[in-house]
């Protein structure tokens, strides 16, 4: 397929994951660059960094599976660690917080691990943006049975707990 | 104690079978907090009254007039029940988009499932809210293992355990026994968060 067609999925918002799996059946577009803003396709040896935002009224400090709920809908937004230093990442994180959510840091995800997990049910795409060329998305198939979706969420949660994360300077968990 | 309601069994003698927790749960599941197994022994062959007060259940032994406030699910899982209420009022999780508000059915399913977990003697879980409004219980165990149950209102409950990186998932009905994998993981461990 022409992987540039995946650009149209970016308008799908909550249906982004479904759109990607519909257009890129075999996942081949993970290894192509689909944006003129991009530094290139996301390689298996890269590390993605996912921001963690805590709702202001949360009474719980423990990360949980919901950090990866977006995989099945709009895609779990990440930044490609290869191209960003920690200070820059924190600045991006602070810029994304709002009155509802406070930025508390980021967690690490190995691209190769994700692509090899859950019977290749987790994919990583270069989704560079005009204002953030390091943007990437982690997606999984929304039509998976609920047990398999749970396995995807738990696999990713285990992975970030193993890899650890970096707290923002003024907001340790 | 401000007694706001009185339900069932008052002034009568009941066999243990009649007052099983299961019967009480079936008859009064809308109340959300009845007695659990620790109370069952005390009530065998006695007459008693069950009072519902301030959202908790109290058992009164009519013969001795002693009031026993026993281990109630809602008392055991006070934080979890509170988290369910909080998440219904302020739905939130770690995803980028706001999750759905739990529907009344989703909330009822969650509270019934919590009752079942408490009755089974499992440690109190934390509660998270999935994007579709499903409430879910989870436990971090010994800082390395993990267990969780999604209280899915439309189908079976979805469960998963992560034991030293080995992830197992499955499903069971609210009427079934809790999967032995979960019980095993939660009862053999030392520190649960």
């Amino acid at each position: 397929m022409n992987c540039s067609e995946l650009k149209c999925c970016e308008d799908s918002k909550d249906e982004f994951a479904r759109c990607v799996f519909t257009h890129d059946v075999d996942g081949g577009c993970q290894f192509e660059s689909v944006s003129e803003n991009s530094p290139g396709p996301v390689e298996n040896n890269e590390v993605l960094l996912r921001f963690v935002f805590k709702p202001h009224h949360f009474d719980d400090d423990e990360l949980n599976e919901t950090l990866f709920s977006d995989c099945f809908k709009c895609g779990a937004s990440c930044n490609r660690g290869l191209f960003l230093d920690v200070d820059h990442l924190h600045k991006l994180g602070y810029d994304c917080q709002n009155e509802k959510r406070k930025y508390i840091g980021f967690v690490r995800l190995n691209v190769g691990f994700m692509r090899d997990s859950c019977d290749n049910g987790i994919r990583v795409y270069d989704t560079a943006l005009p204002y953030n060329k390091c943007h990437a998305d982690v997606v999984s198939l929304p039509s998976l049975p609920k047990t398999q979706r749970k396995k995807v969420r738990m696999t990713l949660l285990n992975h970030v707990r193993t890899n650890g994360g970096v707290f923002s300077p003024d907001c340790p968990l | 104690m401000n007694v706001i309601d009185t339900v069932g069994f008052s002034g009568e003698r009941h066999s243990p079978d009649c007052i099983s927790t299961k019967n009480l749960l079936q008859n009064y599941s809308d109340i959300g907090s009845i007695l659990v197994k620790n109370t069952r022994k005390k009530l065998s062959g006695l007459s008693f009254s069950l009072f519902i007060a301030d959202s908790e259940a109290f058992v009164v032994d009519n013969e001795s007039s002693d009031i026993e406030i026993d281990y109630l699910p809602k008392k055991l899982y006070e934080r979890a029940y509170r988290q369910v209420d909080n998440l219904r009022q302020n739905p939130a999780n770690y995803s980028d988009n706001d999750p759905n508000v739990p529907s009344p059915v989703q909330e009822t399913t969650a509270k019934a499932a919590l009752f079942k977990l408490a009755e089974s003697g499992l440690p109190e879980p934390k509660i998270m809210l999935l994007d579709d409004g499903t409430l879910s219980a989870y436990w971090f165990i010994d800082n390395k293992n993990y267990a969780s149950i999604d209280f899915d209102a439309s189908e079976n409950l979805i469960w998963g355990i992560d034991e030293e990186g080995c992830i197992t998932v499955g499903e069971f009905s609210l009427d079934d026994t809790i999967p032995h994998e979960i019980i095993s993981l939660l009862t053999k461990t030392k520190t649960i968060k």
Side-chain angles (χ1 to χ4, degrees), chain A residues 14 50-55 57-70 73-77 100-101 104 146-151 153-158 161 173, chain B residues 83 86-87 90-99 126-132 136 138 140 143-144 146 148-150 152 154-155 158-162 165 167 169-171 193:
Chain A
D14 276 5
R50 176 152 169 82
F51 291 144
V52 181
F53 298 95
K54 179 178 173 178
H57 57 272
F58 247 25
D59 62 356
D60 196 345
D61 282 336
E62 195 82 57
L63 283 185
N64 59 47
E65 294 168 45
T66 64
L67 184 60
F68 300 104
S69 298
D70 297 325
K73 294 165 69 179
C74 56
S77 287
K100 285 182 174 177
R101 291 165 188 270
I104 59 173
K146 288 181 178 178
T147 49
Q148 293 309 303
R149 274 189 274 163
K150 185 154 195 71
K151 188 169 186 178
R153 292 196 307 266
M154 288 179 62
T155 297
L156 293 172
L157 178 64
N158 173 281
R161 283 176 60 84
L173 274 175
Chain B
Q83 281 186 302
N86 287 345
L87 287 169
N90 295 301
N93 62 23
Y94 284 108
S95 62
D96 290 340
N97 296 313
D98 290 337
K126 289 185 175 180
I127 305 295
M128 61 183 161
L129 176 62
L130 305 184
D131 282 10
D132 67 354
S136 177
Y138 68 98
F140 284 109
N143 212 26
K144 59 183 178 183
Y146 174 83
S148 124
I149 303 173
D150 302 344
D152 193 294
S154 60
E155 298 172 23
I158 311 297
W159 62 271
I161 59 169
D162 176 350
I167 294 172
V169 295
E171 53 190 312
K193 288 177 68 181

